[in-house]
Amino acid sequence: MTTVQKIKEVEDEMARTQKNKATSYHLGQLKAKLAKLRRELIGPSGSGGGGGGGLGFDVARTGIASVGFVGFPSVGKSTLMSKLTGTHSEASEIDFTTLTTVPGTLKVHGAPIQILDLPGIIEGANDGRGRGRQVIAVARTCNLIFIVLDVLKPLGDKTLIESELEGFGIRLNKKPPNVTVRKKERGGVAITNTVPLTDIDHDEIKAVLSEYKINNADVAIRQAGITADDLVDVIEGNRVYIPAIYVLNKIDAISIEELDLLYKIPMSVPVSSRDWLNIDELVEKMWDTLNLVRVYTKPRGLAPDYSSPVVLRRGKCTIEDFCNSIHKEIVKQMKYAVVWGASAKHSRGQKVGLDHVLEDEDVVHISKK
Ligand SMILES: Nc1nc2c(ncn2[C@@H]2O[C@H](COP(=O)(O)OP(=O)(O)OP(=O)(O)O)[C@@H](O)[C@H]2O)c(=O)[nH]1
Ligand SMILES: [Mg+2]
């Protein structure tokens, strides 16, 4: 039996098994089994020849963040990318027009954002069908994914794309589960939870652990609504958590009433790439979701330079990160920094050191020794 067949078999059994107290152990086992089979499929020894599928397919990363376009063929990815960036990427009514990654750059609020147009994927892409695996491998390394959908096609396509990405270890619009599993030498499995367990019970936790041959461990659950799938994600460990925006394209072809319904989909922006409708909202949503930090430099005695911000990623935006992104030597030469803006304690300008964390639109002066 191939891995794909084995996966199908486990999925069928899960579908047949009703969730209740008596079956929770069995279901936990099945979920862990499924995760291990999926790993086999995308791992280096997988039947499709390796999960490092981005090789020869990926492109050099430029700019402060990369946004990858994922969707079925002919939904309008290339049309959108070409117009956004001014880089030509062939578009046509024929499916699979785009055959490799096509990069372009879009400047948003002074920050260069890399846009990656990708080939269309098909259902079963993460099982190694078509070039889907390589496409998803590139998407895995992006800072934001645009899931592009054609509003003229059934919205079930949304679920299909999501499960393709999830099957490859990508978690969309989700934070890593606040769960730790600490293996130990002896003592069995000890479970502590700071919140009530609603979607998983002790039997299920033990079943998942035993499937991974973990017989001694401290499990700490600090978040409500944790499921067996979350626990599997924590144990597998190689999941990536990426924000996604659903781009609902081709709204030029539908009625206002139909458009109203689309607005109910979370994290979505209806647009028309062809007629350039609502693209401003899409770019703003992209900017907000990327959550970048712009910092303006202020030379001594001069006004801040608002024309070209230094753009940093949140979580990596200390004074030290700021200095390093200008020039490696600056940190050594700096005596102190002065900050104005949201991260400063007062409006006169606060004297700070290298570990000070900056906020969007702060102004910084570096004083040298
Ligand atoms: N009506 C309408 N048609 C569009 C829109 N955007 C793109 N199209 C058309 O849809 C077809 C497919 O567009 P592409 O941009 O090539 O689609 P793609 O997603 O890049 O397709 P692949 O590269 O094959 O995956 C073309 O005929 C476009 O002219 C839109 O907003 N409205
Ligand atoms: Mg294309």
Side-chain angles (χ1 to χ4, degrees), residues 46 91 99 145 209 285 318 328:
L99 296 171
I145 295 174
L209 293 180
K285 185 116 185 149
T318 60
K328 284 268 169 290

Side-chain angles (χ1 to χ4, degrees), residues 72-79 90-98 119-120 249-250 252 272-274:
F72 286 131
S74 299
V75 293
K77 298 181 293 298
S78 300
T79 307
E90 192 69 26
S92 88
E93 68 279 7
I94 301 161
D95 281 0
F96 301 109
T97 299
T98 309
N249 191 34
K250 308 196 185 181
D252 52 89
S272 166
S273 307
R274 199 192 64 186

Side-chain angles (χ1 to χ4, degrees), residues 129-168:
R129 294 183 58 200
R131 319 202 65 176
R133 198 185 271 240
Q134 289 155 296
V135 171
I136 300 173
V138 175
R140 234 185 105 99
T141 62
C142 287
N143 305 96
L144 170 65
I145 295 174
F146 272 12
I147 296 180
V148 187
L149 299 163
D150 180 338
V151 295
L152 298 172
K153 291 186 186 151
L155 277 180
D157 284 3
K158 173 174 178 284
T159 320
L160 287 174
I161 299 277
E162 285 167 342
S163 75
E164 296 301 333
L165 294 172
E166 271 161 23
F168 218 79

Side-chain angles (χ1 to χ4, degrees), residues 38-69:
R38 289 219 170 105
R39 163 151 47 87
E40 218 171 275
L41 205 60
I42 63 177
S45 59
S47 53
L55 220 65
F57 199 76
D58 207 347
V59 292
R61 293 311 164 86
T62 59
I64 182 69
S66 308
V67 181
F69 285 15

